[in-house]
Amino acid sequence: MVRFFKRESGDLFKNRFFGFIFKNRKFVFGLQVVIALLFFYAIYMGFYDSSKDNIFTTALFWGIFWPFFIVTTLPTLGRVFCGICPHGFLGKYITKIGLKRKMPKWLQNRYIGVMLLFIGWWGVYYVFPGVYRTPLGTAILFAVMTIVAFIIYYLYKDMAYCKYICPIGTALRAYAKLSFTFFGSYQSACADCKTFDCAKSCPYALSPFNFEKKKSMGDCTLCMECTHSCEAIRFRLTAPGAAIYEKFKIVKEEVWVYILILAAIPISMAFHHGLGRSNISEEMIWVKTAAWAATLFDAGNFNLTGLFVFLYATLFSVAAAVVGMAIAAKIMKKDFSTTFYTLGYAFAPLFILASFAHAWEYFFTTNSAKIVEGMAWGFGFDIDVDPIAKRGDNWLQVFHLFRWIAVAWAFYILYRRFKHIDASRMRKIFAYPFASMLILFFIGVNIYRDYVLETYGRKTHHTHAPQKHQVAAISTIKEEDAKHIWLSDRVPLHEQGGPGGMGQRGQNTRVPQKSIYLLGGDFSKPLCVNEIKGRFFVVDTQNRYKEVKPVKKHGCLSVRFDTPAVGYYKVYYIQESAVGTKIAKFEFKRYDHNSEEEYSKEKMRAKTIKEVPFDLLRVRPDNETFYSMPATGDTVRFLVLKSGVPSPGVTVRLTTQFGWNKSVKSDRDGVASFKLIKDYMPEWSHFNRRFRETYWVEAQAENGGKIDYIVAQERFGRSRDEYSSSAYALIVAIFLLIATAGGVALYRYRTNRPFKEVKFDE
Amino acid sequence: MSRLKKFIDRADIRRFRFWVQLSAFILFVYGGYLSIDLGREMPVFICGYDQEAAGMCYFMPLQHQLARDWERLFSAAGLGVLSAFAIFLLWFIIFNKAWCGYICPLGTMQDWITLLRKKIGVAYSNYTQSQYSSLKKIKYIFLAIVIIFPLLMGAGLFGGEWRAAFCKMCPGRLITPMFVGDFSQWSIDFSSNTAIFLTAFGIAFTILFIVGSFVKKRFFCFYCPMSAMHYIFSPFSILRLKKEGDKCTKCGDCYRVCDMQIFDIADDVVSKNILRDDCILCLKCIAACPEEDALHLDIVNMALFRSTKDGFAKRMGVDKERE
């Protein structure tokens, strides 16, 4: 026994805070009592109120215990949950008064616990979906397990239940190997210890003084009994997963836990909830098998699809692991068992990290609210809270990364585990890809799931609320009543404009598309024009044009078309009547940074088409490219064309979004020039330098007794001068230049250090 | 062959480097006038704001790519990021850090400022070893800014102002375009607080760059995130700086000529690969080494340039004195 020992840094017991939470008997006892009370209260409530109102029982077991006490602690602190587990806590006292018999050999089988978890919980979960989601099902499960546990504690000694029967006992032991803590002892102190107090005090009959030598904590549940008997026990921090790289006594059941749980949870979930909810779910083998099986017999409440998902997932995973390892063993000329169980430890991170990420993502999207509401309900309050994050929040994607961290880690562990196999380097290199077959299968399933959901989409649920902009009523105006009629790429849904804008990133379409709407009324109060007499023409980048029939979209008449190439597209609406021709025009450019498109003068040149009797072309200046647009302060020039011929002396009027307008007459070349003024002046804090201001250009002219009239909508951006200042920059630069240069000079003047030779130790 | 080797080993590395740097500077800064486009994955600070540049610093596309929505970033679109990265890596592994010492326009500019200081006759400054070892870590902070800020922006935690946050802070953005007569980058963007901070920081950093590199050789390179990025991938490079520890007498000549004050070059006789994170592979150390074969530059394990007694004597002008 060691009474005093100087603890090393990295020993959690050295830290006052951790020393307190792990070692302080009163605190730990208090915590155990609280957890046990909650545990039994939740079981009681499950029976007492088994209706849907009871949100407490499920919130405690599936909202707190599973995601936090188990999934979160395992890859981090290790098996700390066992230290406060109600079964173990009470079991210790039951064992003391019990019969203390030796457990019979046939019961000393870890597969009992593993299979209870694999089939009893996950198998049932898929075959009878929702059983464990009800308070009653949950309560029965835990009540039965508690009774079984207490009977076994009473009969047998050394807490045998935890080692062999507990469904999560072996699983916890297996996954805790990935944690960044290790429980052991100071070997220097243990070397001259003759009393072995730690082993005597261990309720599990383990030898903590051997943990460091064996590189494994065995069945230790971190109950901390030994720490009170000897000071040389330590709980040290290690590199994450350090324990799993080492050579230790292999427990075959652990490897099977990794494989079976991987099959039962991530793989089955990817099959059932990922692929099973895609639009091609009918094509999946388990659905087909289930359909075939349903023709043979009446399944009743059985979920056949779930059953076959579970079976196929298990079959594929086990086959991948076994076949891969068998080939690897052949290549390395080793026997299968050694290869399989030595290398099988590499599969450890796949499930636990994926589940860790899922638990936390679920916590932010749903669980946080469920826990608070459930806990409140359990103690007689009624609270309604919102989850912390919304499903689909962008930052939640960070949790998807964990899957790939798990894969990388698994590959690394496999590499480290290979060192424990004695074979030539070349053979190992060839065996590696085969040994990693289950990891590759896991990657494949994940990529395939994402691919299917991306390509074929998710099945739509009928319960979803209809999309908002489909129900929003849009006020319309008759063509004759409208003061102006023009084309725009935005629907006047709200004051700021509705969907549209960019509008080119069409979902699941390779070719970007664009929708252009016909609007009318006042420029400041646009309305949809839904009954028309005119025709629409779409002009592509090569100046080829065709007539297009309009369709209704967002409750507004629009033309939709592909924009495959980079360049300028135009849409014309032409309505001819006895009075004259009314023309609305919208020109826009499509560009992206990925295209290698060169912008030549020819492509930048504005062109007209012969269907348009009267046109306004924006003459683009030489320095404009696809990547730039006119800004405040620039001069925009419009060429007025009557039947394709430049027309001088036509009055052209420009109106901006904020109401400023100006009229000019086209000059001798038929060009009307406007200088774009700055009339976007919001509060400085709301200033948006990417703001695109809309303006309209109108012109009308007599043409053989009739009046032709045209409106073109355009946009312009912010000039750099509106928000940035070179003068300030210059002042700051000069000031800093003087300050730093002066500072250096002053420093040099004041510190005149003598020469000192640099010495290298020989 | 042996004559060629001897010729290389006796080479005047300073003059060679000066001309390589000058031509690389002209090529990269003015290459656009000759329609030269080497792509957007250059492992040197040739700023994309320079309209006539022959290539683009990889950090600019990298930051834009990483700033995509995560849903897009971690989908098939992520392959684009990876392929750009692969091209960057291909460029990099050929020359290793010689990109810094021979090609980087910003590095060349610092060497010219050093030349100017020498002409004027002002003394230079050095850091103490302790200052040096703490300051050199800053470049990893900048590298984190280059990578993490766009990622956080893609996650929706930062606004669009942070898209190319490092570019806004980088002296290269202000300096390189000036060589083609574009001074527009010398401005403070008042459109948002973030923009004010970033652009003002950029100006401050540029002034520091100018004043700093005047008194300290290669001042900026200590803080350069590209240098940090290089160092991470330098083990994959085919060009290597190697040292035979048993031939080293720790005379310290290499340390004294080193612009980057790398202590290990003289002190470390254990490591074979002597390339450190600050190294710019200028090869001055090899030229200054008086020991036969103690330092050498290898390309795929073939010695390209070695330190020789003969070459040292020639460079020092000792052989002329003897005659």
Side-chain angles (χ1 to χ4, degrees), chain A residues 587-626:
Chain A
E587 183 180 54
F588 70 96
K589 70 174 172 228
R590 181 178 97 70
Y591 65 95
D592 57 56
H593 290 279
N594 293 329
S595 68
E596 295 290 323
E597 198 77 25
E598 296 277 333
Y599 27 84
S600 61
K601 277 250 169 71
E602 181 53 27
K603 279 180 198 156
M604 302 299 290
R605 205 163 61 81
K607 300 173 196 93
T608 184
I609 58 172
K610 71 173 192 321
E611 303 286 335
V612 190
F614 184 48
D615 205 351
L616 274 174
L617 300 181
R618 188 163 77 76
V619 184
R620 283 178 269 278
D622 287 347
N623 60 359
E624 193 176 319
T625 68
F626 286 157

Short mmCIF file of all heavy atoms in Angstrom, two decimals, chain A residues 587-626:
data_model
loop_
_atom_site.label_atom_id
_atom_site.label_comp_id
_atom_site.label_asym_id
_atom_site.label_seq_id
_atom_site.Cartn_x
_atom_site.Cartn_y
_atom_site.Cartn_z
N GLU A 587 -32.31 42.31 -70.46
CA GLU A 587 -31.05 41.73 -70.91
C GLU A 587 -30.24 41.38 -69.68
O GLU A 587 -30.20 42.13 -68.71
CB GLU A 587 -30.28 42.75 -71.75
CG GLU A 587 -29.00 42.20 -72.30
CD GLU A 587 -28.25 43.25 -73.13
OE1 GLU A 587 -28.02 44.35 -72.61
OE2 GLU A 587 -27.94 42.96 -74.28
N PHE A 588 -29.64 40.21 -69.69
CA PHE A 588 -28.79 39.86 -68.54
C PHE A 588 -27.63 39.01 -69.03
O PHE A 588 -27.67 38.43 -70.11
CB PHE A 588 -29.59 39.10 -67.49
CG PHE A 588 -30.00 37.72 -67.88
CD1 PHE A 588 -29.25 36.62 -67.49
CD2 PHE A 588 -31.11 37.53 -68.67
CE1 PHE A 588 -29.61 35.35 -67.87
CE2 PHE A 588 -31.48 36.26 -69.06
CZ PHE A 588 -30.74 35.17 -68.66
N LYS A 589 -26.60 38.98 -68.21
CA LYS A 589 -25.46 38.16 -68.60
C LYS A 589 -25.33 37.00 -67.63
O LYS A 589 -25.60 37.13 -66.44
CB LYS A 589 -24.18 38.99 -68.63
CG LYS A 589 -23.70 39.42 -67.28
CD LYS A 589 -22.36 40.10 -67.35
CE LYS A 589 -22.03 40.69 -66.00
NZ LYS A 589 -21.58 42.04 -66.03
N ARG A 590 -24.99 35.85 -68.18
CA ARG A 590 -24.65 34.73 -67.31
C ARG A 590 -23.13 34.56 -67.37
O ARG A 590 -22.53 34.63 -68.43
CB ARG A 590 -25.30 33.44 -67.80
CG ARG A 590 -24.98 32.29 -66.88
CD ARG A 590 -25.65 31.02 -67.31
NE ARG A 590 -24.79 30.15 -68.09
CZ ARG A 590 -23.75 29.49 -67.60
NH1 ARG A 590 -23.40 29.60 -66.35
NH2 ARG A 590 -23.04 28.70 -68.38
N TYR A 591 -22.53 34.36 -66.23
CA TYR A 591 -21.08 34.14 -66.20
C TYR A 591 -20.79 33.34 -64.96
O TYR A 591 -21.55 33.34 -64.00
CB TYR A 591 -20.33 35.47 -66.16
CG TYR A 591 -20.58 36.23 -64.88
CD1 TYR A 591 -19.71 36.13 -63.80
CD2 TYR A 591 -21.72 37.02 -64.75
CE1 TYR A 591 -19.98 36.81 -62.63
CE2 TYR A 591 -21.98 37.68 -63.57
CZ TYR A 591 -21.11 37.58 -62.53
OH TYR A 591 -21.37 38.22 -61.37
N ASP A 592 -19.71 32.60 -65.00
CA ASP A 592 -19.21 32.02 -63.77
C ASP A 592 -17.70 31.93 -63.86
O ASP A 592 -17.12 31.99 -64.94
CB ASP A 592 -19.85 30.66 -63.48
CG ASP A 592 -19.65 29.69 -64.60
OD1 ASP A 592 -18.48 29.46 -64.97
OD2 ASP A 592 -20.64 29.18 -65.14
N HIS A 593 -17.11 31.79 -62.70
CA HIS A 593 -15.66 31.86 -62.66
C HIS A 593 -15.00 30.60 -63.21
O HIS A 593 -13.81 30.57 -63.41
CB HIS A 593 -15.19 32.09 -61.22
CG HIS A 593 -15.53 33.46 -60.75
ND1 HIS A 593 -14.75 34.55 -61.06
CD2 HIS A 593 -16.55 33.92 -60.02
CE1 HIS A 593 -15.28 35.63 -60.52
NE2 HIS A 593 -16.38 35.28 -59.88
N ASN A 594 -15.81 29.56 -63.40
CA ASN A 594 -15.22 28.32 -63.87
C ASN A 594 -15.02 28.28 -65.37
O ASN A 594 -14.22 27.53 -65.88
CB ASN A 594 -16.10 27.13 -63.47
CG ASN A 594 -16.10 26.97 -61.97
OD1 ASN A 594 -15.11 27.28 -61.32
ND2 ASN A 594 -17.21 26.51 -61.44
N SER A 595 -15.78 29.11 -66.07
CA SER A 595 -15.70 29.02 -67.52
C SER A 595 -14.46 29.72 -68.01
O SER A 595 -13.98 30.69 -67.43
CB SER A 595 -16.93 29.66 -68.15
OG SER A 595 -16.87 31.04 -67.92
N GLU A 596 -13.95 29.22 -69.08
CA GLU A 596 -12.73 29.79 -69.65
C GLU A 596 -13.10 30.80 -70.74
O GLU A 596 -12.27 31.18 -71.55
CB GLU A 596 -11.86 28.68 -70.24
CG GLU A 596 -11.35 27.70 -69.20
CD GLU A 596 -10.31 28.31 -68.28
OE1 GLU A 596 -9.49 29.11 -68.78
OE2 GLU A 596 -10.31 28.01 -67.08
N GLU A 597 -14.36 31.21 -70.75
CA GLU A 597 -14.87 32.08 -71.81
C GLU A 597 -14.08 33.38 -71.88
O GLU A 597 -13.84 34.04 -70.87
CB GLU A 597 -16.34 32.38 -71.52
CG GLU A 597 -17.13 32.89 -72.69
CD GLU A 597 -17.50 31.80 -73.66
OE1 GLU A 597 -17.58 30.62 -73.26
OE2 GLU A 597 -17.71 32.14 -74.82
N GLU A 598 -13.66 33.74 -73.08
CA GLU A 598 -12.98 35.01 -73.28
C GLU A 598 -14.06 36.05 -73.61
O GLU A 598 -15.02 35.75 -74.31
CB GLU A 598 -12.03 34.91 -74.46
CG GLU A 598 -10.91 33.93 -74.25
CD GLU A 598 -9.77 34.54 -73.48
OE1 GLU A 598 -9.60 35.79 -73.55
OE2 GLU A 598 -9.06 33.80 -72.78
N TYR A 599 -13.88 37.26 -73.11
CA TYR A 599 -14.86 38.27 -73.50
C TYR A 599 -14.28 39.14 -74.60
O TYR A 599 -13.45 40.00 -74.37
CB TYR A 599 -15.34 39.11 -72.32
CG TYR A 599 -14.37 39.23 -71.20
CD1 TYR A 599 -13.37 40.19 -71.23
CD2 TYR A 599 -14.46 38.38 -70.11
CE1 TYR A 599 -12.49 40.28 -70.20
CE2 TYR A 599 -13.57 38.47 -69.08
CZ TYR A 599 -12.57 39.43 -69.14
OH TYR A 599 -11.70 39.52 -68.11
N SER A 600 -14.71 38.89 -75.80
CA SER A 600 -14.20 39.67 -76.93
C SER A 600 -15.14 40.83 -77.16
O SER A 600 -16.26 40.87 -76.67
CB SER A 600 -14.13 38.77 -78.16
OG SER A 600 -15.42 38.31 -78.47
N LYS A 601 -14.67 41.76 -77.94
CA LYS A 601 -15.47 42.93 -78.31
C LYS A 601 -16.77 42.49 -78.96
O LYS A 601 -17.83 43.03 -78.70
CB LYS A 601 -14.67 43.78 -79.31
CG LYS A 601 -13.68 44.70 -78.63
CD LYS A 601 -14.14 46.16 -78.79
CE LYS A 601 -13.32 47.07 -77.90
NZ LYS A 601 -11.94 47.23 -78.39
N GLU A 602 -16.63 41.45 -79.80
CA GLU A 602 -17.78 40.99 -80.56
C GLU A 602 -18.87 40.48 -79.61
O GLU A 602 -20.04 40.79 -79.76
CB GLU A 602 -17.32 39.89 -81.52
CG GLU A 602 -18.40 39.30 -82.41
CD GLU A 602 -19.17 40.36 -83.20
OE1 GLU A 602 -18.59 41.43 -83.47
OE2 GLU A 602 -20.35 40.12 -83.53
N LYS A 603 -18.44 39.73 -78.58
CA LYS A 603 -19.42 39.19 -77.66
C LYS A 603 -20.04 40.27 -76.79
O LYS A 603 -21.17 40.15 -76.32
CB LYS A 603 -18.77 38.13 -76.77
CG LYS A 603 -18.65 36.79 -77.44
CD LYS A 603 -18.00 35.81 -76.52
CE LYS A 603 -17.48 34.63 -77.30
NZ LYS A 603 -16.39 33.95 -76.62
N MET A 604 -19.26 41.32 -76.51
CA MET A 604 -19.76 42.38 -75.65
C MET A 604 -20.70 43.32 -76.41
O MET A 604 -21.42 44.09 -75.81
CB MET A 604 -18.60 43.21 -75.08
CG MET A 604 -17.58 42.42 -74.27
SD MET A 604 -18.27 41.63 -72.84
CE MET A 604 -18.61 43.01 -71.79
N ARG A 605 -20.65 43.25 -77.74
CA ARG A 605 -21.43 44.20 -78.53
C ARG A 605 -22.92 43.89 -78.42
O ARG A 605 -23.32 42.73 -78.42
CB ARG A 605 -21.01 44.12 -80.01
CG ARG A 605 -21.25 45.37 -80.80
CD ARG A 605 -20.42 45.30 -82.08
NE ARG A 605 -20.81 44.14 -82.90
CZ ARG A 605 -21.87 44.15 -83.70
NH1 ARG A 605 -22.62 45.22 -83.79
NH2 ARG A 605 -22.16 43.09 -84.41
N ALA A 606 -23.70 44.94 -78.27
CA ALA A 606 -25.15 44.74 -78.15
C ALA A 606 -25.75 44.57 -79.53
O ALA A 606 -25.36 45.24 -80.48
CB ALA A 606 -25.77 45.94 -77.46
N LYS A 607 -26.69 43.64 -79.63
CA LYS A 607 -27.29 43.38 -80.94
C LYS A 607 -28.81 43.39 -80.80
O LYS A 607 -29.36 43.19 -79.72
CB LYS A 607 -26.85 42.01 -81.46
CG LYS A 607 -25.35 41.89 -81.63
CD LYS A 607 -24.98 40.46 -81.99
CE LYS A 607 -23.51 40.22 -81.79
NZ LYS A 607 -23.19 39.68 -80.47
N THR A 608 -29.46 43.58 -81.91
CA THR A 608 -30.92 43.55 -81.89
C THR A 608 -31.40 42.41 -82.79
O THR A 608 -30.60 41.75 -83.44
CB THR A 608 -31.49 44.90 -82.37
OG1 THR A 608 -32.92 44.86 -82.23
CG2 THR A 608 -31.15 45.15 -83.84
N ILE A 609 -32.70 42.16 -82.77
CA ILE A 609 -33.24 41.15 -83.69
C ILE A 609 -34.32 41.79 -84.54
O ILE A 609 -34.88 42.83 -84.18
CB ILE A 609 -33.82 39.93 -82.93
CG1 ILE A 609 -34.92 40.35 -81.95
CG2 ILE A 609 -32.72 39.19 -82.20
CD1 ILE A 609 -35.66 39.20 -81.33
N LYS A 610 -34.60 41.18 -85.65
CA LYS A 610 -35.45 41.88 -86.61
C LYS A 610 -36.94 41.89 -86.22
O LYS A 610 -37.71 42.67 -86.75
CB LYS A 610 -35.27 41.29 -88.02
CG LYS A 610 -35.86 39.90 -88.24
CD LYS A 610 -35.75 39.57 -89.72
CE LYS A 610 -36.54 38.37 -90.16
NZ LYS A 610 -36.64 37.21 -89.36
N GLU A 611 -37.32 41.02 -85.28
CA GLU A 611 -38.71 41.04 -84.82
C GLU A 611 -39.05 42.31 -84.05
O GLU A 611 -40.20 42.63 -83.84
CB GLU A 611 -38.98 39.85 -83.89
CG GLU A 611 -38.69 38.49 -84.51
CD GLU A 611 -39.75 38.09 -85.51
OE1 GLU A 611 -40.89 38.58 -85.38
OE2 GLU A 611 -39.44 37.32 -86.45
N VAL A 612 -38.00 43.01 -83.58
CA VAL A 612 -38.22 44.18 -82.74
C VAL A 612 -38.14 45.44 -83.59
O VAL A 612 -37.06 45.76 -84.10
CB VAL A 612 -37.18 44.24 -81.61
CG1 VAL A 612 -37.55 45.29 -80.59
CG2 VAL A 612 -37.04 42.89 -80.94
N PRO A 613 -39.22 46.14 -83.72
CA PRO A 613 -39.20 47.33 -84.57
C PRO A 613 -38.48 48.52 -83.93
O PRO A 613 -38.01 49.42 -84.62
CB PRO A 613 -40.68 47.64 -84.77
CG PRO A 613 -41.35 47.06 -83.58
CD PRO A 613 -40.55 45.86 -83.18
N PHE A 614 -38.38 48.48 -82.60
CA PHE A 614 -37.85 49.65 -81.90
C PHE A 614 -37.06 49.12 -80.72
O PHE A 614 -37.61 48.40 -79.89
CB PHE A 614 -39.05 50.50 -81.44
CG PHE A 614 -38.67 51.78 -80.78
CD1 PHE A 614 -37.74 52.63 -81.36
CD2 PHE A 614 -39.27 52.16 -79.58
CE1 PHE A 614 -37.41 53.82 -80.75
CE2 PHE A 614 -38.94 53.35 -78.98
CZ PHE A 614 -38.02 54.19 -79.56
N ASP A 615 -35.77 49.41 -80.66
CA ASP A 615 -34.96 48.77 -79.63
C ASP A 615 -34.03 49.75 -78.94
O ASP A 615 -33.64 50.77 -79.52
CB ASP A 615 -34.13 47.63 -80.24
CG ASP A 615 -33.77 46.58 -79.22
OD1 ASP A 615 -34.00 46.83 -78.02
OD2 ASP A 615 -33.25 45.52 -79.61
N LEU A 616 -33.70 49.44 -77.68
CA LEU A 616 -32.73 50.21 -76.90
C LEU A 616 -31.59 49.27 -76.55
O LEU A 616 -31.79 48.29 -75.87
CB LEU A 616 -33.38 50.69 -75.59
CG LEU A 616 -34.15 51.98 -75.58
CD1 LEU A 616 -34.82 52.18 -74.23
CD2 LEU A 616 -33.25 53.16 -75.90
N LEU A 617 -30.39 49.57 -77.08
CA LEU A 617 -29.25 48.69 -76.80
C LEU A 617 -28.27 49.41 -75.90
O LEU A 617 -27.89 50.55 -76.17
CB LEU A 617 -28.55 48.32 -78.10
CG LEU A 617 -29.35 47.57 -79.16
CD1 LEU A 617 -28.45 47.27 -80.35
CD2 LEU A 617 -29.91 46.28 -78.60
N ARG A 618 -27.86 48.71 -74.84
CA ARG A 618 -26.84 49.35 -74.00
C ARG A 618 -25.48 49.16 -74.66
O ARG A 618 -25.08 48.03 -74.96
CB ARG A 618 -26.81 48.75 -72.60
CG ARG A 618 -25.89 49.53 -71.68
CD ARG A 618 -26.15 49.22 -70.24
NE ARG A 618 -25.59 47.94 -69.83
CZ ARG A 618 -24.30 47.74 -69.59
NH1 ARG A 618 -23.43 48.74 -69.74
NH2 ARG A 618 -23.88 46.56 -69.22
N VAL A 619 -24.80 50.25 -74.90
CA VAL A 619 -23.49 50.20 -75.54
C VAL A 619 -22.47 49.98 -74.43
O VAL A 619 -22.29 50.84 -73.56
CB VAL A 619 -23.19 51.52 -76.28
CG1 VAL A 619 -21.87 51.41 -77.01
CG2 VAL A 619 -24.33 51.84 -77.23
N ARG A 620 -21.82 48.85 -74.45
CA ARG A 620 -20.90 48.55 -73.34
C ARG A 620 -19.54 49.17 -73.60
O ARG A 620 -19.00 49.08 -74.70
CB ARG A 620 -20.79 47.03 -73.18
CG ARG A 620 -22.01 46.47 -72.46
CD ARG A 620 -21.96 44.99 -72.34
NE ARG A 620 -22.60 44.34 -73.47
CZ ARG A 620 -23.91 44.15 -73.58
NH1 ARG A 620 -24.72 44.57 -72.62
NH2 ARG A 620 -24.43 43.54 -74.63
N PRO A 621 -19.00 49.83 -72.60
CA PRO A 621 -17.69 50.47 -72.77
C PRO A 621 -16.59 49.41 -72.92
O PRO A 621 -16.78 48.25 -72.58
CB PRO A 621 -17.50 51.26 -71.48
CG PRO A 621 -18.41 50.62 -70.49
CD PRO A 621 -19.56 50.06 -71.26
N ASP A 622 -15.45 49.87 -73.42
CA ASP A 622 -14.37 48.93 -73.72
C ASP A 622 -13.85 48.18 -72.50
O ASP A 622 -13.42 47.05 -72.60
CB ASP A 622 -13.20 49.70 -74.37
CG ASP A 622 -13.56 50.10 -75.79
OD1 ASP A 622 -14.56 49.55 -76.30
OD2 ASP A 622 -12.86 50.94 -76.37
N ASN A 623 -13.89 48.84 -71.35
CA ASN A 623 -13.29 48.20 -70.19
C ASN A 623 -14.25 47.28 -69.43
O ASN A 623 -13.90 46.72 -68.41
CB ASN A 623 -12.69 49.25 -69.24
CG ASN A 623 -13.75 50.21 -68.74
OD1 ASN A 623 -14.92 50.10 -69.13
ND2 ASN A 623 -13.36 51.14 -67.90
N GLU A 624 -15.46 47.16 -69.93
CA GLU A 624 -16.39 46.27 -69.25
C GLU A 624 -16.14 44.82 -69.68
O GLU A 624 -15.89 44.54 -70.84
CB GLU A 624 -17.84 46.65 -69.57
CG GLU A 624 -18.84 45.97 -68.64
CD GLU A 624 -20.27 46.43 -68.89
OE1 GLU A 624 -20.48 47.64 -69.12
OE2 GLU A 624 -21.16 45.57 -68.88
N THR A 625 -16.19 43.92 -68.69
CA THR A 625 -16.01 42.50 -68.99
C THR A 625 -17.22 41.76 -68.43
O THR A 625 -18.11 42.36 -67.84
CB THR A 625 -14.75 41.94 -68.31
OG1 THR A 625 -14.96 41.94 -66.90
CG2 THR A 625 -13.52 42.75 -68.65
N PHE A 626 -17.21 40.45 -68.61
CA PHE A 626 -18.27 39.65 -68.00
C PHE A 626 -18.27 39.79 -66.49
O PHE A 626 -19.26 39.53 -65.84
CB PHE A 626 -18.09 38.17 -68.36
CG PHE A 626 -18.44 37.85 -69.78
CD1 PHE A 626 -17.91 36.73 -70.40
CD2 PHE A 626 -19.32 38.66 -70.48
CE1 PHE A 626 -18.24 36.43 -71.71
CE2 PHE A 626 -19.65 38.36 -71.79
CZ PHE A 626 -19.10 37.25 -72.40
#
